[in-house]
Every structure is written in structure tokens, then in C-alpha cells.
Amino acid sequence: MIGPDRERLSPCVCSTLRMVSRAVTQLYDDILRPSGLRVTQFSILGAIARLGEANLRQLEHMLAIDQTTLTRSLKLLERNRAIDRVPHSDGRIKAMTLTSKGRRALEAARQLWARAQGKVLRELGTTAWADAQRRLAHLLRVAVKKRGRSRGENRVRPRRARGRSL
């Protein structure tokens, strides 16, 4: 890439990915605006629709989204009556399903999403996107694997009580 856009990019992978992500998110949000959904809400509703019923852990994993952001979005979707909490056999699990209003919102937003997707793919090219998607999938695997390892290594292990024997 040559020109002013290339100069805006940071040598830091994280900064560059976040900048691109914010810009692309804004593009999708602008196009989705008539549906009343943001692209993050659209993604959550789509994931719940695919699963039929979803809990926080499933959505966190499926969407690679942190619990705080996910919880905030879910509360908004619930307040707008797009999703309902449903009983789960394990009372600690918060399960969600789409309401009829949520299904209608998702369906209306799909056409707008397709417009946003088409715009990006026309500019980028489907071959370039397939290559980028392959590389990003690898980066995601690396980041998730490294993060999981570092979480386990940084845990403080409980100390054994003194004077006890096994």
C-alpha cells in the first residue's frame, strides 16, 4: 500500500488492526443504522440464531469478545426485547434466545449487512479478502494460544497449609 493511508498505519500489529477494525466497524454501523442495530449487535444476534440458544461462554468463544463488552451488548439487546433469558438446567448459566422482535431485526439488518459486505469486497477484492482471512485466522490462533498459555503461567498457585501431610 502506498500513500497517506499507508503512512497512518503503525508498525505495531495491534494498533494497526485496531485502527482498521474501528474504521470497518464504523462503515458497517453507518450502513446498518436504519435497522437500529450496530454490527456488534448484529453479530451477537446472528450467533444466537445459529445456535438456537446460547450462553455467555459460547458467545465469548464464538465471537472472540470479552465478557464486559458482551454483557453490555446483551443487556441492551434484552432491554430492546431482541433477546430473552431462558432457564438452563445449570442455574449459573445465563442462556439467551432470540425473540420474534430479535428475529425480525436480524432479518432486516441482513440486507443492509450484505450491502456493507459487498462494498468492502468490491473495494478489496474477493481473492485479497480470502488471503487476508486466511492470515487473520492464523493470527487469531496464535493470539488465542499465546493468551491461554500466558494466563496459565501467570496464575498464583495456592500454597499448601503448613503442618499438614498428605
Side-chain angles (χ1 to χ4, degrees):
M1 184 191 287
I2 300 171
D5 288 336
R6 173 80 166 138
E7 292 168 9
R8 290 176 62 193
L9 299 180
S10 168
C12 173
V13 173
C14 185
S15 292
T16 297
L17 288 172
R18 289 176 60 88
M19 179 191 303
V20 171
S21 178
R22 283 189 300 270
V24 172
T25 297
Q26 289 169 2
L27 183 143
Y28 276 72
D29 282 348
D30 288 346
I31 293 174
L32 284 171
R33 189 165 286 117
S35 74
L37 295 176
R38 295 175 149 274
V39 72
T40 50
Q41 296 165 333
F42 174 80
S43 298
I44 292 167
L45 292 178
I48 295 170
R50 281 189 297 281
L51 295 170
E53 177 182 298
N55 64 51
L56 285 172
R57 292 272 183 238
Q58 289 172 311
L59 293 171
E60 283 176 38
H61 178 75
M62 188 175 202
L63 301 170
I65 190 170
D66 67 279
Q67 189 172 358
T68 303
T69 304
L70 178 59
T71 300
R72 190 178 327 116
S73 294
L74 289 170
K75 283 181 182 175
L76 182 61
L77 289 167
E78 190 173 20
R79 189 171 57 235
N80 291 337
R81 296 187 172 89
I83 62 169
D84 269 334
R85 305 267 176 177
V86 293
H88 193 276
S89 57
D90 182 340
R92 298 169 297 173
I93 295 176
K94 297 176 181 177
M96 280 91 25
T97 59
L98 293 183
T99 63
S100 57
K101 183 178 179 181
R103 281 189 291 280
R104 285 191 307 272
L106 181 60
E107 194 54 43
R110 278 193 175 126
Q111 293 174 3
L112 297 168
W113 173 87
R115 189 182 321 155
Q117 184 81 350
K119 179 181 176 95
V120 171
L121 290 177
R122 278 190 302 281
E123 292 294 322
L124 184 60
T126 54
T127 303
W129 172 238
D131 183 52
Q133 200 171 26
R134 181 181 54 77
R135 292 169 189 257
L136 289 168
H138 177 72
L139 181 58
L140 178 63
R141 282 190 305 276
V142 167
V144 168
K145 186 188 309 181
K146 294 285 185 193
R147 185 169 182 247
R149 260 194 235 142
S150 67
R151 277 185 164 182
E153 293 169 359
N154 291 336
R155 281 201 181 124
V156 176
R157 295 178 191 210
R159 294 171 67 170
R160 283 192 198 167
R162 292 180 192 223
R164 280 195 181 162
S165 61
L166 295 175

